[in-house]
Amino acid sequence: MSPTPVRPVSPAPARHGTAALVSAVAGVLLAVLWSFELVDSVIGDTVANNLLGHDAKATAIGGTGAGLLFAFVSGFAGTFTACNIAMVASVGPLSQAGSPTGLRHQLRTLVRPVGWLALGMIAVSATYGAVGVLIGDGLPQLSTETVGGMPVRLIQSSVVFGVIGLVLALLGLGALGLVPDVFARRPVARVVLIGALIGGFLIGRPYPLFNKLFHWAVETGNPLYGAAAFTLQSLGNIVIVTLLFVVVVLVTRGGFLRWMTDPTRSALVTGALLVALGVFTVVYWDLRVPAIFGIGWFPTMPYN
């Protein structure tokens, strides 16, 4: 009996390589143009202040209920900060994990992929919330010290977001077929992993309102409060991207999911988003942020 011939793996289309390059350039440009003052203070603080009805930074958190509300609101307010914007990359993978059957199975179409995303996210954020309360001020993230002129908490941010950005970019290259894609037959697993990465944002997040929440959780001394608060923070982070996904599916009557069933089209959308936001995350946190403290050089805009 003659051996079964081995089929060669088809190379990724040339346009996928071009898409990866364009996406990487877009990620770098976004890191250069990004205004942290606009998204952190003008947008983030304004949203939090209006929803809470008081100055979110200056007003003390008064009790467990207020703390949990603050957790969700501050998470929502920080949706578009540099430590969370990469979650937009989940839109492509969410569509891959959804059902293309449209309105007929609408509930499953909408809930299933979002549920998988939340599963990965909550597993990480809740665990870190509980562990963070137990470790407390021993965490670099809560430190007020500096090393070489750079705050220790931002060093932790650079390390954590550097790793997360690399993983996102690698997932994007895999989706484009430029490196082996271990999730080619498991789109749900890709969504769970991205959810875990979004939960991991909290491990590096220096956002002032989150820092305030973290200190409150540690002061309670209760790891369950920490787990609940961090879970609500993460859920607040994905409200807008979840609503965006739901609106697109409903407005197109499931057409967006059917449109994304085309393998080439799905690979381009998913891969481009992951590469662009993965590169942005690495460049912003590992090049731009250290440069602010005199470590290396990075171009700046007049408004920064």
Side-chain angles (χ1 to χ4, degrees), residues 20-102:
L21 179 59
V22 171
S23 297
V25 171
V28 173
L29 288 175
L30 182 60
V32 173
L33 298 174
W34 190 265
S35 173
F36 61 86
E37 291 184 355
L38 173 64
V39 294
D40 286 19
S41 300
V42 177
I43 297 177
D45 290 354
T46 300
V47 170
N49 293 344
N50 288 332
L51 290 177
L52 292 173
H54 56 71
D55 190 320
K57 287 182 178 178
T59 305
I61 297 176
T64 302
L68 296 180
L69 175 62
F70 183 89
F72 182 80
V73 169
S74 61
F76 178 74
T79 296
F80 296 112
T81 57
C83 51
N84 193 66
I85 190 63
M87 58 83 200
V88 174
S90 65
V91 172
L94 278 173
S95 64
Q96 290 182 314
S99 167
T101 51

Side-chain angles (χ1 to χ4, degrees), residues 27-39 82 150 154 158 279-304:
V28 173
L29 288 175
L30 182 60
V32 173
L33 298 174
W34 190 265
S35 173
F36 61 86
E37 291 184 355
L38 173 64
V39 294
M150 185 171 177
L154 288 182
S158 293
V279 169
F280 162 77
T281 301
V282 172
V283 172
Y284 184 89
W285 289 102
D286 290 342
L287 295 179
R288 178 171 170 174
V289 171
I292 294 174
F293 300 94
I295 303 173
W297 176 86
F298 196 81
T300 58
M301 294 291 102
Y303 47 79
N304 285 325

Side-chain angles (χ1 to χ4, degrees), residues 39-254:
V39 294
D40 286 19
S41 300
V42 177
I43 297 177
D45 290 354
T46 300
V47 170
N49 293 344
N50 288 332
L51 290 177
L52 292 173
H54 56 71
D55 190 320
K57 287 182 178 178
T59 305
I61 297 176
T64 302
L68 296 180
L69 175 62
F70 183 89
F72 182 80
V73 169
S74 61
F76 178 74
T79 296
F80 296 112
T81 57
C83 51
N84 193 66
I85 190 63
M87 58 83 200
V88 174
S90 65
V91 172
L94 278 173
S95 64
Q96 290 182 314
S99 167
T101 51
L103 295 179
R104 187 177 176 182
H105 299 288
Q106 193 175 80
L107 183 61
R108 181 185 173 195
T109 297
L110 299 177
V111 172
R112 184 172 179 266
V114 173
W116 286 119
L117 183 76
L119 175 65
M121 181 184 70
I122 292 172
V124 175
S125 58
T127 300
Y128 186 59
V131 172
V133 167
L134 294 175
I135 297 176
D137 292 336
L139 284 170
Q141 195 170 10
L142 298 178
S143 173
T144 58
E145 298 181 358
T146 62
V147 174
M150 185 171 177
V152 170
R153 63 189 181 87
L154 288 182
I155 293 176
Q156 178 172 329
S157 298
S158 293
V159 172
V160 171
F161 285 112
V163 172
I164 289 176
L166 287 174
V167 174
L168 289 173
L170 186 61
L171 287 174
L173 293 175
L176 290 169
L178 300 174
V179 300
D181 183 10
V182 297
F183 298 110
R185 298 177 181 271
R186 307 176 198 73
V188 168
R190 193 198 315 270
V191 172
V192 173
L193 176 58
I194 291 176
L197 294 175
I198 293 174
F201 291 168
L202 301 188
I203 301 175
R205 176 164 295 161
Y207 184 45
L209 293 181
F210 175 68
N211 186 266
K212 178 178 178 177
L213 173 69
F214 206 155
H215 279 286
W216 169 82
V218 171
E219 288 172 2
T220 68
N222 190 329
L224 292 179
Y225 286 164
F230 280 34
T231 295
L232 288 171
Q233 170 85 185
S234 285
L235 289 174
N237 288 159
I238 65 169
V239 167
I240 291 181
V241 74
T242 300
L243 289 176
L244 174 64
F245 175 67
V246 170
V247 168
V248 169
V249 172
L250 291 178
V251 169
T252 62
R253 300 179 62 83

